[in-house]
Amino acid sequence: MCLEFSAKVEDKLKTAYIGGGTPSIVPIEFYQKFNLVFFEDYEFTFEINPKTVDMQYLQALKDLGVNRLSIGVQSFDDEILVQIGRIHSADDAKKCVKMAQEVGFGNISIDLIYGLPNQTMCIWQKTITEAVSLGVQHISTYGLKIEKGTYFAHNIPENLPDEDICADMYLECIKNLSENGFEHYEISNFALPNFESKHNINYWKNNPYIALGVSAHGYQNGVRYENTSDFEAYLKNPLKPCAKVVLTQEDILQEGIFLGLRMVKGIDLKEFEVWYGFDFEQKYAQILEKYEDFLVFQNRRISLTQEGLMLSNVILAEFI
């Protein structure tokens, strides 16, 4: 579990995010020891697993000042949930959202995954429809990515959808959610008007943030740092990162491009030239020409087309 802030510790906070692992399995009394001070227009997000909370826990979170929930639903198909090792059912997820709404949460995000074992287009469409029907304000959709060292990496599941089907699932998500009033504002994220994740936008704009907790990552004064994953070591010295990377100006530039183009609105070239001191279109003329069919230039902004978003890993790698 980690806690990240988009402000200095001694300042009022603009956003805070408690996530990583399953923070909702921790007794609420732990979080009641926090003394966080926010600006008036703040965002305080808390990640929860649908199976680990009840009405009392959710009410206590709200009393603490949490005003945004991120619920790890992943799928509304019970067989798939069992296969990927989730402890909750589709019904648990629906009940969790309803409880949160009854408590008074008006900013709820749910995570969904496509490309899962035995997941067909029909199952995915049903999942999106179920998500929209719950009346949530934000939906994140991620393609399954099997990381090294994970269970799936050593036990590749059968019946994974191929790349073409996954691409179709992504396009179906964009189409369905757009038709239901959600704005596609980042490669994997959709929100009703004015419900974009402020905390995540802070990441994508390459702004600084402070990280507390085991394995948490932060970014301050051009330095990216990582806290130890050893719980005992962290308790002995919670303010000493186990690793630091001092970014060069070129690193910061590349991250600014990589993160900025993840946003559907893309990069403001006027701002970019002020921040980095050169003409973006001139410096990257060859790359821009190579991928011109996947880029949009409008009102001194550059962004990826829908097809460009699907090829984003390939295109963005060109800038690094």
Side-chain angles (χ1 to χ4, degrees):
M1 186 274 289
C2 64
L3 174 61
E4 295 178 348
F5 306 110
S6 60
K8 295 179 180 178
V9 171
E10 65 267 21
D11 292 340
K12 288 184 179 180
L13 304 176
K14 297 177 181 178
T15 71
Y17 196 106
I18 298 180
T22 310
S24 53
I25 64 174
V26 176
I28 197 65
E29 291 77 16
F30 172 79
Y31 301 111
Q32 289 171 337
K33 297 177 182 179
F34 289 8
N35 183 25
L36 306 180
V37 181
F38 292 95
F39 285 100
E40 185 174 344
D41 185 24
Y42 73 95
E43 178 187 276
F44 185 2
T45 303
F46 193 95
E47 282 189 4
I48 59 176
N49 179 295
K51 191 71 172 179
T52 61
V53 297
D54 54 19
M55 191 79 79
Q56 184 179 1
Y57 195 98
L58 291 170
Q59 183 62 61
L61 287 178
K62 194 167 189 303
D63 293 341
L64 286 175
V66 174
N67 59 7
R68 183 176 185 270
L69 296 179
S70 178
I71 305 175
V73 174
Q74 319 311 354
S75 175
F76 287 105
D77 185 279
D78 284 336
E79 292 184 7
I80 289 178
L81 288 171
V82 170
Q83 190 167 357
I84 63 175
R86 302 296 291 182
I87 64 172
H88 70 273
S89 66
D91 193 48
D92 290 330
K94 295 173 190 176
K95 287 180 178 177
C96 181
V97 172
K98 293 302 180 185
M99 282 193 300
Q101 290 168 336
E102 289 176 17
V103 165
F105 282 101
N107 191 354
I108 299 173
S109 176
I110 61 175
D111 289 352
L112 303 175
I113 299 177
Y114 59 90
L116 292 171
N118 297 308
Q119 189 180 48
T120 63
M121 179 61 78
C122 182
I123 290 173
W124 178 238
Q125 288 172 327
K126 182 180 177 183
T127 288
I128 299 171
T129 299
E130 291 275 15
V132 171
S133 72
L134 292 175
V136 297
Q137 290 73 34
H138 189 283
I139 298 175
S140 298
T141 62
Y142 303 103
L144 176 66
K145 184 178 181 181
I146 299 177
E147 302 283 358
K148 291 182 180 179
T150 62
Y151 175 81
F152 274 177
H154 301 289
N155 301 271
I156 301 297
E158 297 180 355
N159 299 322
L160 287 173
D162 62 30
E163 288 185 3
D164 288 339
I165 293 176
C166 288
D168 288 341
M169 288 178 172
Y170 180 64
L171 291 174
E172 173 63 23
C173 184
I174 295 173
K175 176 178 178 293
N176 194 318
L177 292 179
S178 296
E179 290 174 350
N180 283 281
F182 286 81
E183 178 186 355
H184 186 200
Y185 73 100
E186 192 270 345
I187 289 177
S188 303
N189 288 273
F190 303 79
L192 295 180
N194 302 315
F195 284 97
E196 298 87 353
S197 170
K198 295 178 182 178
H199 190 83
N200 288 341
I201 287 175
N202 188 70
Y203 295 148
W204 300 321
K205 287 188 174 181
N206 214 18
N207 290 330
Y209 54 95
I210 293 171
L212 300 175
V214 173
S215 298
H217 292 70
Y219 176 49
Q220 287 284 309
N221 302 317
V223 178
R224 294 204 178 277
Y225 63 91
E226 175 185 353
N227 292 339
T228 178
S229 60
D230 185 317
F231 185 68
E232 295 298 328
Y234 179 79
L235 288 180
K236 291 178 181 177
N237 197 341
L239 298 181
K240 182 181 180 181
C242 69
K244 288 184 178 182
V245 177
V246 179
L247 303 184
T248 65
Q249 283 301 112
E250 186 66 18
D251 292 333
I252 294 171
L253 165 64
Q254 291 175 357
E255 289 193 1
I257 296 171
F258 184 86
L259 295 169
L261 286 177
R262 287 189 61 89
M263 301 285 288
V264 173
K265 290 182 179 179
I267 294 172
D268 184 319
L269 295 181
K270 292 180 183 178
E271 289 185 355
F272 192 93
E273 289 166 12
V274 170
W275 293 340
Y276 299 105
F278 63 82
D279 187 306
F280 182 95
E281 294 175 84
Q282 182 178 351
K283 180 177 176 67
Y284 297 108
Q286 290 185 331
I287 298 174
L288 300 180
E289 182 179 357
K290 180 178 179 180
Y291 292 104
E292 61 182 348
D293 292 339
F294 302 99
L295 297 167
V296 176
F297 291 89
Q298 188 173 18
N299 299 325
R300 294 290 288 151
R301 298 192 73 91
I302 180 173
S303 59
L304 295 173
T305 65
Q306 189 172 98
E307 292 78 11
L309 291 172
M310 296 176 67
L311 296 172
S312 60
N313 287 340
V314 175
I315 297 172
L316 297 179
E318 293 272 8
F319 293 96
I320 299 176

